[in-house]
Amino acid sequence: MNHTPNDPRRARSRVTVEGPERAPHRSMYRAMGLSDKDFQQPFVGVANLATEVTPCNFHLDQVTREVKAGIREAGGTPIEFPTITVSDAIAMGHQGMKGSLISREIIADSIEIVAFAEGFDALAAVGGCDKNLPGILMAAARLNIPTVALYGGTMMPGRFQGRDVSVEDVFEAVGAHAAGRMSAEDLDALERAACPGPGTCGGLFTANTMGILVETLGMAKLGTSAIPAVHPDRQSAARSIGAQVMNTLAAQILPRDVLTLNAFENAIRVAAALGGSTNSVLHLMAIAGEAEVPLTLEDFDRISRETPHIGNLKPGGEYLMADLHRVGGVPLILHRLLKAGLLHEDALTITGRTIGEEIRAYPLPEIQEGERVVFPVEKPIHQDGALVILKGNLASEGAVLKITDPNGSVSFTGTARVFDGEEAAFEAISQDRIKSGDVVVIRYEGPQGGPGMREMLSVTAAIIGQGHVSDVAMVTDGRFSGATRGPMVGHVAPEAWVGGAIALVEDGDTITIDSQNRQISIHLSDEALQERQRRWTRPEPRYTKGALAKYQRLFASASRGARTTIWDQ
Ligand code: FES
């Protein structure tokens, strides 16, 4: 291994530690125990998103320790640094959720700025909760230095009344309890049982969806994402990341070599095939934006139309992420799609091999139950993928619907019940004021209007908990949690804050959601909408200083991934 001053792997860190003028810098590093040998090796920044604010990231110190040990074994010098994390579940249902999407931007900014300022040669990043992996990949795309991501893994299922449960069940139980369909004792027992230890929320919600997609994109080692947080294999997977990042650095495989349009199309394919979180649309758009890949919402719809739905995972299906690991993990999904010719198999990965080569080389376990967790492509759950992009006079730039209905489609015409903000909607639902046939419209919750595009899991779970599984719809310029199910349309763009048509809806209007025709419309003439537009005025901003006011000004439309921009793109 080359440790000479001319080692090309050290092109960035050399600037910070070589020569007499860098004696102060080395002195600072020596204060932390670094040796002469360390200075002659590549510096690998290790972003550790460990925190006590959420079980999703609670165990990441341990995982990161293994990653660092692996880097040392492979001849690198790991330098660990933290970023922030917000717990989506704990932020859910109150004003705090406005911090969630902002946290994605802060994670991306933190990693970018630390790696930039310290001159790291490569990056390894360990993340868990929803916004972690998107933030990590956005930073990787901006920095374009060799990067390997590692997902921290899912929580194990809890057991309640003889069935596997996750935190989604607790959110829905709140609605059932409010409707008198669940006792306080049962709610308490479920609360205590649902989350049995560290790891991310257990279904195919946003964090697990992004864990699957980071492998699909080729930015993580195949087979590492589905391993549960507490499984012993997680530590050995973490150790292997150390060697991987050193190999990726040696081969100079850069994030933008991996994050190509083909890689994004593969990721969309997998999200559609599984019925992954609608947040994946937002995050893939944002990562593509940072990688300067020309991805559009139309790409999601086109690919979803051509993709059979094969994932039988909660919230739409029956199984949890830990079950997926048992039957083969992400490689099982990719293997099914590859065999059916539904992947761009020549997309490069961080190993230097293509995704097709990686999938073929991966030893899959022979487990019959695998056919129940991920259906064969030739016998899918539905012929179409589960992610649908809707357009119409209510969302001219687009809106996102995830099909969780067993029929595989949504056709809903109902009466608008309009709420400015999540709290007002939640109160109406809790007071049983929402009836069958209603379309709950929640607005001023978009990227700018919220700000921060809150997720509406408390609202959607309360609707479901009251027994309105498919007879009440919801339309919002906010987001949904990956745990949301039912006829729920989010990411409506343009949002109410910028005067989008959702701002013009009134109680009693008729709204149609039609997944077959990709339509979302309000039954009003263009003239009537224009007349309402003339009368519309923007409300006063809720925040006038601090981070929320700052990000309100920086967020782009949901149709462009709601990432922060300071230029018009
Ligand atoms: Fe972190 Fe659900 S709160 S994954």
Side-chain angles (χ1 to χ4, degrees):
M1 193 160 286
N2 183 3
H3 294 312
T4 67
N6 293 325
D7 183 348
R9 300 172 307 159
R10 298 178 53 234
R12 291 167 59 89
S13 65
R14 182 181 302 131
V15 178
T16 67
V17 291
E18 267 187 24
E21 69 281 11
R22 295 297 184 239
H25 305 59
R26 290 192 297 275
S27 195
M28 294 292 279
Y29 274 127
R30 287 186 202 282
M32 296 183 284
L34 266 66
S35 65
D36 290 347
K37 178 170 173 268
D38 292 320
F39 297 135
Q40 290 163 7
Q41 301 183 145
F43 276 26
V44 181
V46 182
N48 172 13
L49 278 69
T51 171
E52 290 185 358
V53 305
T54 189
C56 322
N57 295 33
F58 190 69
H59 59 303
L60 295 188
D61 276 333
Q62 208 185 345
V63 177
T64 301
R65 256 199 306 277
E66 295 296 327
V67 173
K68 286 166 65 182
I71 292 169
R72 272 191 212 98
E73 281 166 8
T77 301
I79 311 273
E80 182 183 333
F81 64 98
T83 83
I84 67 153
T85 286
V86 160
S87 171
D88 273 48
I90 295 171
M92 192 73 69
H94 55 88
Q95 294 287 315
M97 180 44 84
K98 293 176 179 175
S100 161
L101 193 60
I102 293 174
S103 79
R104 182 189 74 181
E105 303 302 302
I106 295 176
I107 291 166
D109 290 353
S110 320
I111 295 174
E112 177 193 356
I113 289 302
V114 175
F116 168 76
E118 303 289 319
F120 295 144
D121 298 300
L123 267 179
V126 184
C129 199
D130 292 14
K131 303 302 172 292
N132 291 188
L133 289 174
I136 286 167
L137 294 189
M138 288 165 75
R142 289 180 196 168
L143 289 159
N144 208 28
I145 60 173
T147 301
V148 176
L150 177 65
Y151 181 49
T154 186
M155 191 182 284
M156 293 303 288
R159 289 293 287 176
F160 176 70
Q161 296 181 343
R163 63 190 169 96
D164 282 351
V165 289
S166 75
V167 74
E168 176 204 3
D169 296 272
V170 191
F171 275 105
E172 292 188 2
V174 172
H177 174 253
R181 295 170 54 234
M182 183 183 236
S183 69
E185 290 72 29
D186 278 355
L187 179 61
D188 180 66
L190 175 60
E191 169 195 319
R192 291 169 196 279
C195 298
T200 55
C201 299
L204 186 62
F205 312 145
T206 304
N208 280 332
T209 301
M210 293 311 299
I212 291 170
L213 298 189
V214 77
E215 272 188 49
T216 309
L217 284 166
M219 289 294 295
K221 263 185 90 175
L222 200 63
T224 54
S225 289
I227 305 167
V230 296
H231 196 289
D233 288 355
R234 176 136 302 285
Q235 304 308 319
S236 47
R239 181 75 70 127
S240 76
I241 295 306
Q244 183 56 62
V245 70
M246 295 306 291
N247 289 339
T248 305
L249 170 62
Q252 275 299 301
I253 296 162
L254 305 180
R256 291 198 190 184
D257 301 331
V258 174
L259 295 170
T260 59
L261 185 57
N262 279 354
F264 282 102
E265 291 200 345
N266 285 343
I268 297 168
R269 178 81 71 195
V270 168
L274 295 180
S277 162
T278 50
N279 280 317
S280 64
V281 178
L282 201 70
H283 297 324
L284 289 174
M285 288 292 290
I287 300 160
E290 301 295 354
E292 298 182 53
V293 169
L295 197 66
T296 66
L297 285 181
E298 282 67 33
D299 293 320
F300 287 82
D301 202 56
R302 170 179 54 81
I303 294 168
S304 190
R305 279 177 192 265
E306 304 161 348
T307 303
H309 179 195
I310 57 173
N312 186 16
L313 294 156
K314 285 173 183 270
E318 298 172 275
Y319 290 93
L320 292 166
M321 187 75 163
D323 300 310
L324 177 65
H325 175 248
R326 220 164 13 85
V327 299
V330 182
L332 173 69
I333 303 160
L334 297 180
H335 191 266
R336 294 232 198 285
L337 295 172
L338 181 73
K339 220 170 88 193
L342 292 172
L343 289 180
H344 298 294
E345 61 174 289
D346 53 355
L348 186 70
T349 74
I350 40 125
T351 64
R353 292 180 292 276
T354 66
I355 191 79
E357 288 168 338
E358 289 291 335
I359 297 165
R360 287 200 177 87
Y362 194 91
L364 280 175
E366 292 275 335
I367 297 178
Q368 289 259 304
E369 198 192 357
E371 304 232 327
R372 288 292 310 156
V373 182
V374 182
F375 280 39
V377 170
E378 34 316 329
K379 286 189 235 151
I381 300 167
H382 307 117
Q383 285 300 337
D384 285 357
L387 290 176
V388 173
I389 305 299
L390 304 172
K391 282 196 175 174
N393 67 354
L394 192 47
S396 58
E397 286 179 16
V400 181
L401 166 73
K402 182 169 80 174
I403 308 274
T404 55
D405 191 283
N407 296 326
S409 66
V410 171
S411 174
F412 195 101
T413 295
T415 307
R417 302 290 309 279
V418 183
F419 302 93
D420 291 349
E422 180 186 0
E423 283 77 6
F426 188 77
E427 193 181 316
I429 294 158
S430 306
Q431 294 171 354
D432 212 13
R433 288 192 273 127
I434 299 301
K435 304 292 176 211
S436 177
D438 283 346
V439 179
V440 178
V441 177
I442 308 179
R443 63 191 180 192
Y444 297 107
E445 289 288 1
Q448 291 182 42
M453 219 182 164
R454 279 194 289 185
E455 291 182 354
M456 303 291 158
L457 179 59
S458 293
V459 172
T460 57
I463 291 173
I464 299 278
Q466 293 196 344
H468 296 300
V469 176
S470 57
D471 63 331
V472 169
M474 192 171 114
V475 174
T476 180
D477 52 9
R479 293 180 292 140
F480 295 125
S481 155
T484 288
R485 60 195 175 110
M488 314 291 180
V489 179
H491 307 204
V492 167
E495 60 174 301
W497 182 257
V498 300
I502 191 171
L504 313 178
V505 183
E506 294 176 3
D507 276 337
D509 286 341
T510 303
I511 289 174
T512 290
I513 302 162
D514 176 357
S515 68
Q516 290 289 341
N517 293 304
R518 277 23 189 186
Q519 275 287 320
I520 180 160
S521 53
I522 176 168
H523 294 215
L524 283 177
S525 65
D526 289 350
E527 294 71 35
L529 276 172
Q530 279 160 14
E531 173 50 32
R532 288 188 189 180
Q533 186 86 62
R534 274 192 287 276
R535 284 188 277 121
W536 175 76
T537 52
R538 176 184 291 163
E540 289 298 308
R542 294 182 175 115
Y543 302 88
T544 53
K545 56 186 180 183
L548 283 100
K550 180 164 70 180
Y551 281 94
Q552 176 165 50
R553 293 190 190 109
L554 293 175
F555 273 130
S557 163
S559 64
R560 292 187 292 164
R563 69 196 173 100
T564 48
T565 54
I566 49 170
W567 57 91
D568 186 28
Q569 64 167 34

